[in-house]
Amino acid sequence: SPPVIPTAMSKSAKPDKNPAGYVDRWYHAKIWHGFEFFAWMRLLIRNRFAVGWHMVPAAIIITFFSIFHTLLRGVQWLLLGIPLMRAKIEKPPVFIIGHWRSGTTLLHELMVLDDRHIFPNTYQCFAPNHFLISEWIATRLFGFLMPKQRPMDNMAMGWKRPQEDEFALCALGQPSPYWTIAFPNHPPQFQEYLDLKQVPPAAVARWQKTLLRFMQHLSFRRSDKRLILKSPTHTARVRVLLDLFPDARFIHIVRDPYTVYASTVNLWKKMYQAEGLQRPKYEGLEEYVFNTFIQMYDAFEGDRHLLNERQFYEIRYEDLVADPIGQLRAIYEQLDLGDFEPAIPALERYLEETGDYKTNRYEITDELRAQVTKRWARYIQQFGYGDATAAVQGGSNSDSDNKDAPAA
């Protein structure tokens, strides 16, 4: 696991100012509110119940929620257990992969505009144990539990918006690097689950079974539609995902690494602040970002040869923003996703509605720029970002995506 040590680059412990529109309320749902009881207990026990005093009331509330989730899971099984066991995923799923802040959520949102596709939404990832029997009523009664914007950018939030399946895996009890978000002052947790390479085979099989079950639930009574999933963590898991779905499609998105670095640091600061059960100190965060990126792309580069041309499409974020319809047309054609023409009207409406989206800007020092250039050199050269330093002259980066950070 990446070492947790203070670095010379940790010049500010405070995350950037919250974007306009985001308001943090004590009653807003956190990731951990969706955990079933046994998963919640494993998280607490692993971290020796080191909950900050200011978060003790929230931890008590989460405990009651976890019991409720566990009971509802049983109810859902009694009502739908046998049909769910028979549920099929008929079409090869599409996995959108790439590092955090590379544009994965922007691409996800564009892909799921096609009504021939389905996707996990925020509620389904928050309550994966019972969403089939609770989603209709819960999303109507408890909309106020969601902030209107995400803490790290101006992106809208809501129960029905596309979400990362990694959060569902967490709530279902699977270990994940995201457990670090709960206890950010502890060493990074379950980094071996980023790529699953050092995880015992029996544990990998459990992880695969959990993901498959969640995807079956998503496809229940909708097996004629194609599942589109997005989680940056899956970038390092291509081999394991192919074991489950040999004909799966993968779309890999890359982006200017200098922007990715600055935006990812800001992402984790905001997530630790908004979702953490401790007051975060952010010690060693920059080193964590550097090392996790390297671990992710070492695994990805080792596995990409397993994908044939019909299964894999690689795209630069900058090209997607410049010509979203043209890039999606190319994705559909190469991955054999069907006729692209029916998807165009919804894409055009989305692009018109989001045309005035305002982005964040970040400062990156010359020292950090040199560190990124040195430590992520393979990525920079492989994906054509050798001249990317010109884009950040003057020490400022524009986070012109702001649409791919995880949200609870």
Side-chain angles (χ1 to χ4, degrees):
S1 298
V4 180
I5 55 174
T7 70
M9 293 173 281
S10 300
K11 294 182 178 180
S12 173
K14 294 183 178 180
D16 297 335
K17 185 178 179 181
N18 283 328
Y22 175 74
V23 179
D24 187 15
R25 304 293 188 191
W26 66 269
Y27 53 81
H28 281 162
K30 296 186 180 297
I31 299 167
W32 329 112
H33 280 93
F35 275 41
E36 54 93 17
F37 179 75
F38 299 102
W40 172 238
M41 286 297 106
R42 283 196 293 273
L43 176 63
L44 290 178
I45 292 169
R46 178 181 174 86
N47 290 277
R48 299 181 180 181
F49 295 87
V51 177
W53 286 110
H54 72 295
M55 290 302 297
V56 168
I60 294 171
I61 294 172
I62 292 171
T63 301
F64 283 106
F65 267 90
S66 71
I67 296 171
F68 178 72
H69 292 313
T70 305
L71 293 173
L72 273 187
R73 179 180 62 185
V75 174
Q76 178 170 284
W77 178 254
L78 287 173
L79 294 175
L80 300 172
I82 293 177
L84 285 173
M85 290 177 64
R86 297 173 179 168
K88 295 181 180 180
I89 300 171
E90 295 182 359
K91 295 186 176 182
V94 174
F95 293 95
I96 295 172
I97 58 177
H99 194 272
W100 297 275
R101 312 307 290 160
S102 292
T104 53
T105 295
L106 172 59
L107 183 54
H108 197 202
E109 294 210 346
L110 293 174
M111 289 290 295
V112 303
L113 292 171
D114 188 335
D115 60 13
R116 294 167 293 179
H117 298 160
I118 57 175
F119 57 93
N121 64 36
T122 298
Y123 183 80
Q124 292 162 351
C125 291
F126 175 88
N129 288 285
H130 54 75
F131 68 83
L132 288 169
I133 64 170
S134 63
E135 181 176 6
W136 186 88
I137 186 66
T139 54
R140 285 162 172 77
L141 292 180
F142 303 117
F144 67 93
L145 294 179
M146 280 280 106
K148 295 186 182 301
Q149 276 86 26
R150 302 190 301 186
M152 70 290 297
D153 54 38
N154 297 304
M155 193 67 177
M157 287 185 68
W159 289 123
K160 295 292 188 178
R161 299 187 72 88
Q163 190 53 265
E164 289 186 33
D165 53 284
E166 188 76 11
F167 291 113
L169 294 175
C170 288
L172 290 167
Q174 284 302 308
S176 167
Y178 284 7
W179 284 32
T180 300
I181 299 169
F183 293 93
N185 299 332
H186 290 184
Q189 301 192 42
F190 289 119
Q191 279 299 103
E192 69 272 21
Y193 273 80
L194 178 64
D195 55 24
L196 296 166
K197 294 186 182 298
Q198 302 302 318
V199 175
V204 173
R206 286 193 297 272
W207 185 93
Q208 291 177 310
K209 183 179 179 180
T210 302
L211 176 61
L212 177 60
R213 186 172 73 247
F214 178 61
M215 292 174 66
Q216 288 174 320
H217 289 192
L218 292 171
S219 297
F220 184 58
R221 296 173 180 164
R222 301 187 295 175
S223 60
D224 60 320
K225 297 182 181 293
R226 189 186 301 274
L227 261 172
I228 313 291
L229 293 97
K230 182 275 294 192
S231 281
T233 45
H234 290 335
T235 310
R237 300 167 177 164
V238 170
R239 185 184 299 268
V240 175
L241 294 171
L242 284 175
D243 286 342
L244 271 180
F245 304 102
D247 203 30
R249 274 60 163 171
F250 292 82
I251 309 172
H252 177 225
I253 187 167
V254 298
R255 188 182 184 188
D256 169 6
Y258 303 94
T259 298
V260 166
Y261 171 82
S263 188
T264 302
V265 170
N266 183 65
L267 159 68
W268 293 130
K269 286 182 177 180
K270 293 294 181 63
M271 291 297 288
Y272 294 170
Q273 184 184 65
E275 303 286 343
L277 301 175
Q278 302 172 323
R279 294 193 188 277
K281 300 176 181 177
Y282 313 113
E283 292 178 349
L285 177 57
E286 292 87 352
E287 192 68 16
Y288 175 72
V289 170
F290 276 124
N291 288 341
T292 299
F293 185 101
I294 293 169
Q295 180 186 356
M296 176 181 286
Y297 275 94
D298 281 350
F300 173 71
E301 294 301 333
D303 291 344
R304 66 184 294 162
H305 71 278
L306 300 172
L307 300 168
N308 61 48
E309 183 176 339
R310 185 174 59 86
Q311 289 182 281
F312 184 64
Y313 190 90
E314 201 157 64
I315 181 174
R316 285 167 53 112
Y317 165 78
E318 294 80 4
D319 296 333
L320 177 64
V321 171
D323 183 16
I325 292 180
Q327 288 296 321
L328 261 69
R329 184 187 298 276
I331 290 172
Y332 273 62
E333 291 176 357
Q334 181 156 325
L335 300 185
D336 193 20
L337 300 182
D339 184 10
F340 179 65
E341 296 304 315
I344 293 178
L347 281 168
E348 291 177 336
R349 287 193 299 271
Y350 176 90
L351 295 171
E352 182 178 355
E353 291 169 0
T354 58
D356 60 350
Y357 183 81
K358 296 182 179 179
T359 63
N360 294 339
R361 296 186 68 84
Y362 301 102
E363 292 186 357
I364 182 169
T365 65
D366 291 340
E367 178 187 4
L368 281 174
R369 192 180 304 127
Q371 285 278 344
V372 172
T373 301
K374 177 180 179 181
R375 300 178 72 171
W376 295 354
R378 182 175 65 178
Y379 179 99
I380 290 170
Q381 295 304 318
Q382 180 172 348
F383 298 116
Y385 290 105
D387 297 326
T389 51
V392 291
Q393 289 296 328
S396 179
N397 288 46
S398 175
D399 184 7
S400 52
D401 174 22
N402 285 324
K403 299 185 179 184
D404 59 333

